Amino acid sequence: MPKKVVMEIPANPMLGDLRKRKRKLRVAAYCRVSTEEEEQQNSFEVQVDYYTEKITHHDGWQLAGIFADDGISGVRTKKRDQFNEMIELCRKKKIDLILTKSISRFARNTLDCIKHVRILKSWGIPVIFEKENIDTSNMNSEMILTCLSSFAQAESESISGNVTKGIRMGYKQGRFAFRYTGFAFQKGLDGEPEIIPKDAQTILMIAREFLNGDSLKGIKEKLEKAGIPSPAGEPKWTTQTIQRILQNEKYAGDVLLQKTYTADFLEGRVKKNNGELPQYYIKDNHPAIIPREMFFEIQEELARRRSKKPANTKKAKTNRGRFTSKYALSERLVCGDCGCYFRRVTWNIHGRKQIVWRCINRLEFGPKSCGKSPSLEETALHTAILEAIRSLVHGQQEEMAAALQDTLIQCIAGEKEETSPIVIENKIKELETEFDRLLVLAADENDIIDYKLKQISGTILKLKQQKKRIEYTAERSEVMESKAKEVMGLISAEDLDLTEYSDALVYRIIERITVLSKEEIRIRFIGGFEITQPLR
């Protein structure tokens, strides 16, 4: 058997590249600028012109396209449409070579950069980074590419950190970019926010309906029925949108800065700021749509409704049921025996329906839980409430006004501090001056001076807390005074329609109705005035 002969055929890249040599290389270029500023725009146009001329004047090259992302961050490739379109054409074998100015233009995220370079290399498509003089067709350049990509990512992190620091320093001084969403506010001729009247009417309608006892769902239905478009311009509203409007301090003329923050630089993940970073509240930053007193009322009502527990499936005893805006009495009619709320019930007696209100404890747990509470007919209850309001309007306005005023004075006087915020602020300044003087002397390590410094520091802290308490009390007093005036205005209005019972009116002016017996109820109006009314 003849001996095997092995012949080596030397490599010949010219043969392997014969197909490509028969046609010109399809070369694409990728450009990017990170902002949309005018000077960056010039850089962007220069890059496009440069690569267009370079590729078209090369004998062996054919222009396969200039791909350019304008004003887009290089941290992630997800939002870079042109970049992704270029990669897709590479996948379809319509590009043979990619040119780019530098690694930082291609990507500032090491993982993304290496990932796409390797994908392109697996498809036989090299990338040339001109500034770093790297050609990825050369396997030895991958380590260099990794290092340089890391430097580009570090540079991006540094820039991001500096920008974030600058924004937060601006927050401390009350400087920030007001966000115009196209709803409620627009940029005025003087560069300051101005109110859009049409949208302001919608916001005020939402606020009033909510304070009148309507639910978020009920407000949603009214808005859609009236044909009022949502902030997004859609015919349909969501309860979440309505709740955001009610909670947004912007509509009260204020601004809360740093509600959210970017938790991860690379992923760009935004998290709600739950105390991780300081926040800055700017009062009276721009014209208000909702008066501040009304805004405080809305926040209190939101908190009250949130506090209402859902119906308990295990039927544990409770005087707090699920919040309902359907009937104002569900939130106000209270059993004088056990303190539980009453519930609206429909009886069916020999085919005839009758609506009554009954104690929830008695309904769910029987007479042993609450044996004295009566069942009240709804019509009799409505009539009694209507008569009580009429008596105030026609005969007891002066008495009620005096009672409301006395209650208001007591509430405010009970919370007043002996010192005004200005006096406290002056005391703080004096103590801070003394603190600075002693601090210079403390260099001699004197124990007495150290003790005095701690004492002054503690006093300053207490004074600052007292000042905040006084300022809060003043705001609450304004709200209470406004609420009392509003009740008096509703009661004494000449055009008040008292011909039939109104849930909306009861919701605004009555705080509680205590069922004393089957013949008598006690009505407590907002502000503290009470009246006992017979049931007929």
Side-chain angles (χ1 to χ4, degrees):
M1 186 173 180
K3 188 178 179 181
K4 291 181 181 179
V5 179
V6 178
M7 296 177 64
E8 182 180 350
I9 302 172
N12 188 347
M14 300 297 289
L15 290 174
D17 202 35
L18 185 62
R19 187 177 176 186
K20 286 186 179 179
R21 286 193 296 109
K22 286 182 179 179
R23 61 171 175 80
K24 290 184 177 182
L25 282 178
R26 295 164 297 180
V27 182
Y30 179 70
C31 317
R32 181 183 61 79
V33 293
S34 56
T35 68
E36 295 179 348
E37 299 295 331
E38 188 175 345
E39 59 270 20
Q40 291 281 314
Q41 285 284 346
N42 294 334
S43 170
F44 176 75
E45 291 168 3
V46 168
Q47 287 183 61
V48 173
D49 292 342
Y50 166 75
Y51 283 116
T52 302
E53 186 176 348
K54 180 170 184 174
I55 295 170
T56 54
H57 285 76
H58 194 290
D59 291 337
W61 289 357
Q62 173 187 337
L63 183 62
I66 305 292
F67 299 89
D69 285 307
D70 184 8
I72 302 293
S73 169
V75 175
R76 292 173 300 281
T77 58
K78 187 177 179 182
K79 294 182 179 179
R80 292 157 64 187
D81 296 333
Q82 288 275 293
F83 182 89
N84 293 328
E85 183 183 338
M86 179 183 71
I87 297 297
E88 180 62 20
L89 289 174
C90 290
R91 188 184 67 80
K92 294 177 179 178
K93 303 293 183 183
K94 293 185 178 180
I95 295 174
D96 299 318
L97 174 65
I98 295 173
L99 303 180
T100 188
K101 181 181 176 183
S102 65
I103 291 171
S104 63
R105 297 296 91 189
F106 192 74
R108 285 191 173 176
N109 178 325
T110 303
L111 294 176
D112 266 346
C113 185
I114 300 300
K115 169 190 165 186
H116 284 94
V117 164
R118 284 176 175 167
I119 289 172
L120 291 168
K121 186 182 285 187
S122 70
W123 294 339
I125 303 168
V127 182
I128 295 176
F129 300 95
E130 293 187 317
K131 182 180 176 181
E132 294 84 5
N133 194 24
I134 293 176
D135 183 348
T136 60
S137 61
N138 179 2
M139 291 296 293
N140 295 329
S141 66
E142 182 161 323
M143 184 174 290
I144 300 171
L145 179 66
T146 303
C147 295
L148 292 173
S149 296
S150 299
F151 292 147
Q153 179 173 322
E155 179 192 355
S156 186
E157 288 177 1
S158 176
I159 292 170
S160 176
N162 290 338
V163 170
T164 302
K165 187 177 179 181
I167 291 171
R168 288 174 182 167
M169 286 178 69
Y171 286 168
K172 289 183 180 180
Q173 299 167 11
R175 291 186 288 104
F176 67 100
F178 192 91
R179 292 185 65 187
Y180 296 96
T181 59
F183 182 76
F185 292 100
Q186 62 187 3
K187 195 170 185 178
L189 295 175
D190 58 354
E192 296 297 319
E194 67 176 24
I195 295 170
I196 301 173
K198 176 174 62 69
D199 297 337
Q201 289 176 5
T202 301
I203 291 168
L204 280 170
M205 173 193 166
I206 291 170
R208 290 193 188 105
E209 291 299 324
F210 182 77
L211 287 178
N212 281 338
D214 210 347
S215 66
L216 299 181
K217 186 179 178 183
I219 296 171
K220 170 185 179 297
E221 291 169 354
K222 285 180 181 177
L223 290 166
E224 290 173 354
K225 188 176 180 181
I228 298 172
S230 71
E234 299 294 330
K236 294 289 183 183
W237 285 74
T238 64
T239 53
Q240 290 84 356
T241 299
I242 294 167
Q243 182 164 324
R244 280 196 294 268
I245 287 173
L246 293 169
Q247 291 176 314
N248 197 335
E249 75 289 338
K250 185 194 293 184
Y251 301 126
D254 303 339
V255 176
L256 178 62
L257 303 175
Q258 204 150 250
K259 292 180 183 178
T260 60
Y261 67 99
T262 303
D264 189 281
F265 161 75
L266 293 176
E267 294 180 8
R269 187 160 43 89
V270 177
K271 287 183 66 177
K272 185 179 179 182
N273 185 4
N274 292 314
E276 292 86 352
L277 294 172
Q279 292 183 319
Y280 306 91
Y281 196 93
I282 304 173
K283 289 179 68 175
D284 300 318
N285 178 75
H286 53 273
I289 295 173
I290 301 174
R292 182 170 280 106
E293 295 78 13
M294 181 184 281
F295 184 73
F296 285 150
E297 280 188 67
I298 290 169
Q299 305 320 302
E300 287 179 358
E301 180 63 14
L302 281 167
R304 190 185 71 82
R305 294 190 189 186
R306 278 196 298 267
S307 72
K308 305 297 292 181
K309 294 179 180 178
N312 199 330
T313 52
K314 294 182 180 179
K315 289 195 173 183
K317 289 186 182 181
T318 176
N319 70 329
R320 304 166 74 189
R322 189 198 309 271
F323 170 77
T324 173
S325 65
K326 195 170 183 181
Y327 309 106
L329 295 180
S330 298
E331 297 286 297
R332 285 156 180 76
L333 194 59
V334 178
C335 178
D337 184 34
C338 69
C340 188
Y341 284 131
F342 270 54
R343 181 186 294 164
R344 192 175 190 264
V345 180
T346 302
W347 281 349
N348 197 329
I349 305 171
H350 305 299
R352 185 176 64 86
K353 289 185 179 180
Q354 185 181 8
I355 297 171
V356 298
W357 287 80
R358 302 192 70 192
C359 172
I360 294 175
N361 264 350
R362 182 174 179 121
L363 269 174
E364 295 188 353
F365 307 107
K368 290 183 180 179
S369 178
C370 182
K372 295 181 181 179
S373 63
S375 300
L376 304 179
E377 290 187 14
E378 186 174 72
T379 52
L381 199 54
H382 286 180
T383 301
I385 294 168
L386 196 57
E387 286 177 357
I389 296 173
R390 279 188 191 136
S391 67
L392 287 172
V393 173
H394 298 303
Q396 299 178 6
Q397 287 184 28
E398 291 182 7
E399 185 184 350
M400 182 181 181
L404 281 172
Q405 190 174 8
D406 290 344
T407 304
L408 186 62
I409 290 169
Q410 288 171 11
C411 289
I412 295 173
E415 294 178 345
K416 269 192 176 177
E417 298 279 352
E418 294 179 358
T419 316
S420 72
I422 297 171
V423 174
I424 292 175
E425 185 62 35
N426 290 333
K427 282 184 180 178
I428 290 171
K429 286 179 180 178
E430 288 175 9
L431 288 170
E432 285 177 342
T433 303
E434 179 66 11
F435 186 89
D436 292 339
R437 188 183 68 81
L438 290 173
L439 199 60
V440 176
L441 300 174
D444 298 332
E445 298 185 2
N446 188 313
D447 291 340
I448 297 174
I449 291 175
D450 287 344
Y451 173 76
K452 284 185 176 179
L453 284 170
K454 289 179 182 178
Q455 199 175 34
I456 291 171
S457 179
T459 306
I460 290 172
L461 180 62
K462 287 179 181 178
L463 285 171
K464 286 181 176 178
Q465 291 171 344
Q466 185 184 5
K467 184 186 172 188
K468 283 184 179 179
R469 194 164 57 247
I470 291 169
E471 289 171 344
Y472 174 76
T473 302
E475 287 183 352
R476 294 291 304 126
S477 298
E478 288 178 11
V479 173
M480 290 175 66
E481 186 175 0
S482 172
K483 188 178 284 189
K485 286 178 179 177
E486 183 184 1
V487 172
M488 288 305 302
L490 284 167
I491 290 295
S492 60
E494 292 180 4
D495 58 346
L496 186 64
D497 183 11
L498 293 174
T499 57
E500 59 182 27
Y501 171 85
S502 167
D503 260 332
L505 184 61
V506 168
Y507 199 94
R508 294 305 299 272
I509 70 172
I510 293 178
E511 187 177 296
R512 177 180 292 251
I513 301 171
T514 305
V515 179
L516 303 176
S517 66
K518 193 173 181 64
E519 294 81 26
E520 202 172 47
I521 57 175
R522 184 171 62 245
I523 302 172
R524 178 184 175 89
F525 291 88
I526 289 173
F529 181 78
E530 290 188 350
I531 185 171
T532 301
Q533 183 69 29
L535 286 164
R536 296 185 178 87

